[in-house]
Amino acid sequence: MSDAPGLPRDARIHVAGHRGMVGSAIVRRLQADGFTNLVLRTRAETDLRDRTAVRELFAREQPQYVFVAAARVGGILANDTYRADFIHDNLAIQLNVLDEAHRAGVRRLLFLGSSCIYPKLAPQPMKEEHLLTGILETTNRPYAIAKIAGIEMCDAYHRQHGSDFRAAMPTNLYGPGDNFDLQTSHVIPALIRKFHEAAESRAPTVTIWGTGTPRREFLHVDDLADACVHLMQLPRAAWDAGVPATHVNVGTGSDVTIRELAERIGAIARFRGELRFDPGKPDGTPRKLLDCSRVQALGWTPRITLDDGLRSTVAWFREHAARDAARAAN
């Protein structure tokens, strides 16, 4: 790939949240493309919730481009249990990083949100203009509101100050580096861990939250990283022409039911028992499918199929689960 306008190979690029699933995927993609001048800081080195620490980071490192992949994230249980933490931490990160990027004269910034920004009963597939047209899903409303605020901040800084701040809303993500903690994880890593442990112990059943009927769209994190680098490299004129709304959706444009997803993961994990669904647990939004026509018109499409992505993620989890078990035994 040749250098795109405004993003030379020696550009100083800050990936906020580089140790998370999304941030680490962006780093892998940038390094594969020959970008080596990366600004990477752990939470211990720079807590993005701390305004002074963020200001010192931008003053010292002077990044030219910023990917905002840092966020407090989790599944239904975590979102509903730690509501104050989710809205506080995400608002703090966004406020500090975006404002300091503006003050430091960053050339271009890409903010990442989530498809949960759309109304619970939004028309399907969800288009960018469906934002703020209805009631949000209750379980993740604090997180969604924080992400909506991030979108509005990008648009506001662009309109008032001319900052080239962009926002992309990915669908449900999965892949290497995901969080497999059953108390805080999203559906795919939770199912992978459940089925892996059930297969190992030869358990007769696996219980899954909800009815299994909601439909969800899933994107491999490496595909998202590919999209992020593509969107960051677009000239502003191309972005403005292709994204008349405040943000752009990033997804596959296809979905499956939770039951279908569980059956696929169970088969890959070689689970031979019975699936049981618990209708007493929340289903969340009935359907979340993104209209991805705009990002496709901008020249990007996903490459990793759901089956291929699930197989590679199960293999990644098994490798790391075995490694963790060996480390604990020693």
Side-chain angles (χ1 to χ4, degrees):
M1 182 188 298
S2 61
D3 284 353
L7 195 54
R9 287 297 180 269
D10 61 351
R12 291 186 63 75
I13 303 173
H14 175 45
V15 182
H18 77 282
R19 282 192 167 180
M21 177 176 66
V22 174
S24 61
I26 292 173
V27 170
R28 287 196 301 272
R29 178 52 193 269
L30 288 169
Q31 291 174 336
D33 281 355
F35 294 98
T36 57
N37 199 3
L38 304 183
V39 178
L40 308 175
R41 294 292 179 271
T42 65
R43 181 183 300 179
E45 292 170 321
T46 302
D47 186 340
L48 298 179
R49 298 169 298 178
D50 182 336
R51 182 61 172 263
T52 300
V54 176
R55 180 164 293 178
E56 291 174 352
L57 167 67
F58 277 88
R60 181 174 62 253
E61 302 296 343
Q62 299 182 346
Q64 299 163 296
Y65 301 88
V66 176
F67 290 90
V68 187
R72 186 184 184 106
V73 299
I76 290 178
L77 180 60
N79 270 275
D80 201 26
T81 303
Y82 304 106
R83 301 175 72 87
D85 294 342
F86 271 77
I87 194 167
H88 172 275
D89 288 359
N90 285 296
L91 284 174
I93 290 168
Q94 295 160 196
L95 176 64
N96 294 339
V97 174
L98 270 64
D99 193 54
E100 291 305 323
H102 158 66
R103 291 173 180 271
V106 164
R107 295 180 186 177
R108 190 172 297 161
L109 176 148
L110 181 67
F111 169 77
L112 293 172
S114 165
S115 59
C116 73
I117 63 168
Y118 292 111
K120 179 176 182 177
L121 301 178
Q124 301 292 318
M126 298 179 291
K127 298 183 178 182
E128 288 87 351
E129 54 264 35
H130 291 155
L131 180 66
L132 297 175
T133 59
I135 301 299
L136 297 167
E137 160 61 30
T138 302
T139 54
N140 60 18
R141 188 173 61 209
Y143 177 75
I145 289 174
K147 289 300 178 180
I148 292 170
I151 295 172
E152 289 297 316
M153 284 187 70
C154 288
D155 185 60
Y157 275 78
H158 175 62
R159 289 172 180 263
Q160 182 175 341
H161 300 294
S163 303
D164 190 353
F165 289 2
R166 308 172 180 190
M169 298 300 113
T171 190
N172 301 286
L173 301 169
Y174 71 100
D178 209 339
N179 169 25
F180 292 86
D181 185 331
L182 294 178
Q183 297 301 309
T184 57
S185 62
H186 289 101
V187 62
I188 284 183
L191 289 176
I192 287 175
R193 179 169 178 178
K194 281 188 175 185
F195 281 117
H196 169 77
E197 293 179 350
E200 290 285 302
S201 65
R202 298 185 180 180
T205 64
V206 165
T207 300
I208 299 165
W209 274 34
T211 63
T213 59
R215 302 187 67 88
R216 291 292 182 270
E217 175 186 19
F218 297 99
L219 180 70
H220 193 280
V221 70
D222 286 342
D223 268 341
L224 174 63
D226 181 60
C228 289
V229 175
H230 177 80
L231 293 172
M232 180 69 94
Q233 295 188 107
L234 289 174
R236 184 71 206 196
W239 173 272
D240 288 339
V243 187
T246 54
H247 61 284
V248 65
N249 292 335
V250 182
T252 64
S254 61
D255 59 6
V256 295
T257 67
I258 296 300
R259 176 181 289 276
E260 291 168 338
L261 177 69
E263 290 171 347
R264 292 189 189 192
I265 295 175
I268 294 169
R270 297 189 293 276
F271 172 70
R272 309 301 182 192
E274 176 188 357
L275 275 64
R276 291 184 178 175
F277 291 86
D278 181 359
K281 300 295 186 181
D283 271 335
T285 305
R287 191 181 190 193
K288 284 175 43 176
L289 177 64
L290 293 180
D291 181 315
C292 297
S293 57
R294 282 181 175 150
V295 73
Q296 291 171 7
L298 289 170
W300 179 85
T301 55
R303 295 177 293 180
I304 302 172
T305 67
L306 181 59
D307 285 337
D308 286 346
L310 290 175
R311 279 192 288 268
S312 65
T313 305
V314 169
W316 186 92
F317 171 74
R318 281 181 166 156
E319 176 187 348
H320 286 75
R323 186 182 304 167
D324 292 344
R327 188 179 298 116
N330 295 329

